[in-house]
Amino acid sequence: MTVSRVVELEGHIIDSGTMQSCFGLIMDLGGSFTVEAFDIGRRKEEESYARLLVEADDEDALQTIVHELHQIGANPADPKDATFEPAPADKVVPHGFYSTTNHPTDIRYEGEWLTVDDIEMDCAVVVEDGDRSPTGDPRAYTKVLNAVEAGDLIVTGDTGIRVRPPDRPRDTGGAFGFMKGGVSSERPSESTIRKVATAIEETKNEGGTVLAVCGPALVHSGAREDLARLVREGYVDMLSAGNGFAVHDIERDLYGTSLGMDTETLDHPRHGHKHHIYAISEVIREGSIEAAVESGTIESGVMYECVEHDRPFVLAGSIRDDGPLPDTITDAVEAQNAIREQAHEADMVLLLSTLLHSVAVGNCLPSTARVVCVDINPATVTQLLDRGSAQAVGMVTDIGTFVPILADELIDGE
């Protein structure tokens, strides 16, 4: 005897490959399906609809299939209210809690759909009734596990949950038409960079916020001055980096080197290997990067422009940091929360030559954020996509080439 459930798919389910993915997933997990209804969009801007009867040998197998379908946007045809259980203790979630994707998500509560605020992957969903909500209306929002408090009403199971992956229509027009995901070193660099520049301009024209996530290689490669220009001219609104990026940016200002090397002549000055620790010492003496800028100790660079033009930055520390700088957040949970706050504000994100920070920020981003990842190593972008940031487009190129061309397109091309 088999058990069954009806699920629905809506949107650009043919162009995006979602329907094909659902068929393959059902069969791979040992189930079967019948297409009960299929309404095909006849024009490229029209959406399609499909209703599938999914069958399996037993309830456990069916639940596994429905859960996996749910992750890619197939939702039950007969929605019921979500199920909830209170958290038994701080940082402890109920068994079977719902773990989020990074797609826009709704929770059905008392017959109404609530949009989940601050959506990101691998979180719990907390629901508050009108009495507990600051607005007086019920609301749903995400919490990372270490932020869960005893008594929080946590969504469990898969019932009453609707996931809405971003549409990927056939039309590739517009500034973001090229952003279809994937990694390539074959694309014409200048042409693609021009499209990235157009995408940044569109984001800014829409009143959006651009976040740059940067690694030390950006300074080593000689792209520091051009990124500083983008910060100064307002094309980069926020910065997320590690201690190393800021150290070498400041080292370049104070001593003309990055990790002891002159980035223009490629010479290694005498005692250049000590420059980065000297730079850290100077900032510690001042008390902060901002204080060092205000005193005139730091006179140029990315961190200088962030201070001068009030662009917020987060420096997240690691176990291997020298110093670190006074502004570097050394508490891992505190740093993660600061990164998360930035990520939730960002409409477009540039991940520039930093694997660890790219993955960290990418994990906090909703799938609706526009993401461009640039690295000389294709594995960086591949890992980002493998961890769920399927909305990212990757360029495999030298960061020292990408940033100057981008700055020229945005600033000199006006």
Side-chain angles (χ1 to χ4, degrees), residues 74-92:
N75 296 297
D78 53 344
K80 301 175 182 177
D81 279 359
T83 57
F84 315 94
E85 288 186 37
D90 289 352
K91 303 181 182 180
V92 180

Side-chain angles (χ1 to χ4, degrees), residues 79-400:
K80 301 175 182 177
D81 279 359
T83 57
F84 315 94
E85 288 186 37
D90 289 352
K91 303 181 182 180
V92 180
V93 291
H95 290 294
F97 79 98
Y98 174 72
S99 178
T100 56
T101 70
N102 63 348
H103 298 313
T105 301
D106 304 313
I107 300 299
R108 195 168 180 84
Y109 177 75
E110 295 183 350
E112 302 290 339
W113 289 106
L114 304 178
T115 298
V116 179
D117 295 333
D118 296 330
I119 191 68
E120 62 176 277
M121 67 178 70
D122 302 331
C123 290
V125 176
V126 177
V127 174
E128 292 181 347
D129 61 25
D131 293 335
R132 298 182 60 187
S133 170
T135 64
D137 297 315
R139 69 172 183 139
Y141 57 95
T142 58
K143 271 193 177 183
V144 292
L145 298 194
N146 63 44
V148 168
E149 299 175 273
D152 280 346
L153 201 58
I154 307 294
V155 176
T156 58
D158 294 305
T159 303
I161 303 167
R162 183 171 64 189
V163 176
R164 296 177 283 114
D167 279 336
R168 289 176 171 82
R170 187 182 302 111
D171 186 7
T172 58
F176 292 97
F178 77 106
M179 299 181 75
K180 300 298 179 186
V183 186
S184 176
S185 56
E186 304 296 327
R187 297 172 183 166
S189 291
E190 290 197 26
S191 172
T192 307
I193 295 171
R194 193 172 300 117
K195 291 176 180 177
V196 174
T198 302
I200 292 173
E201 289 178 328
E202 182 175 310
T203 300
K204 298 299 296 178
N205 290 339
E206 293 172 351
T209 301
V210 178
L211 168 65
V213 183
C214 308
L218 191 147
V219 181
H220 305 333
S221 66
R224 164 187 179 265
E225 284 71 24
D226 289 290
L227 181 62
R229 292 169 63 203
L230 291 172
V231 174
R232 181 170 60 248
E233 297 299 326
Y235 291 105
V236 169
D237 301 289
M238 301 183 292
L239 179 80
S240 182
N243 183 70
F245 172 84
V247 167
H248 297 303
D249 173 64
I250 294 168
E251 176 195 345
R252 174 68 179 150
D253 175 68
L254 297 180
Y255 304 104
T257 59
S258 176
L259 203 58
M261 183 188 73
D262 188 309
T263 56
E264 293 183 1
T265 66
L266 304 185
D267 291 335
H268 289 77
R270 182 175 173 80
H271 301 308
H273 63 286
K274 298 182 180 181
H275 286 173
H276 77 284
I277 204 71
Y278 290 164
I280 294 170
S281 176
E282 290 302 312
V283 177
I284 292 175
R285 182 174 290 109
E286 295 280 357
S288 68
I289 295 172
E290 181 178 1
V293 169
E294 291 176 350
S295 71
T297 300
I298 300 174
E299 297 181 328
S300 69
V302 179
M303 304 311 300
Y304 171 86
E305 298 295 349
C306 285
V307 172
E308 283 289 285
H309 297 281
D310 197 26
R311 315 282 189 233
F313 60 85
V314 171
L315 302 180
S318 73
I319 196 69
R320 63 190 183 279
D321 285 338
D322 289 323
L325 293 166
D327 303 83
T328 300
I329 304 172
T330 55
D331 183 294
V333 173
E334 183 184 345
Q336 187 182 96
N337 289 336
I339 288 173
R340 177 170 290 108
E341 186 175 339
Q342 278 193 326
H344 290 170
E345 292 180 14
D347 298 290
M348 183 170 181
V349 183
L350 305 176
L351 305 174
L352 305 176
S353 197
T354 171
L355 172 59
L356 297 181
H357 263 75
S358 292
V359 172
V361 174
N363 284 352
C364 298
L365 293 171
S367 61
T368 51
R370 299 149 171 172
V371 181
V372 177
C373 183
V374 182
D375 203 288
I376 198 67
N377 183 0
T380 297
V381 188
T382 300
Q383 182 165 342
L384 188 72
L385 268 64
D386 286 347
R387 292 181 67 87
S389 300
Q391 78 276 25
V393 63
M395 284 189 65
V396 181
T397 189
D398 175 30
I399 198 68

